[in-house]
Amino acid sequence: MNLSQHLADADLLLCHGSATSTLEALYKQVTPVIAPSHNDAYFVARQCLNAEAAVTIDWTTGFTRRNIRTAATTALHLT
């Protein structure tokens, strides 16, 4: 999938927080909603949160329909 092509029409990106997709989204001014799942993704998510450039979801406790909806709404307000 060509992420760059899809980000052109996106308002947010739901991702696991890989540096590649997260930085691509930020470059295209698309707010990432990050559900980090491994070591470096937690680092990327933390850096984005510190910069107020993304929203995160906790896989273990917060990955519910309601929390995803709340995170998406919050992300849309960051743009």
Side-chain angles (χ1 to χ4, degrees), residues 13-36:
L13 172 69
L14 178 60
C15 64
H16 72 279
S18 74
T20 304
S21 59
T22 303
L23 292 174
E24 181 101 23
L26 293 172
Y27 179 75
K28 299 285 186 176
Q29 298 180 334
V30 174
T31 304
V33 176
I34 304 171

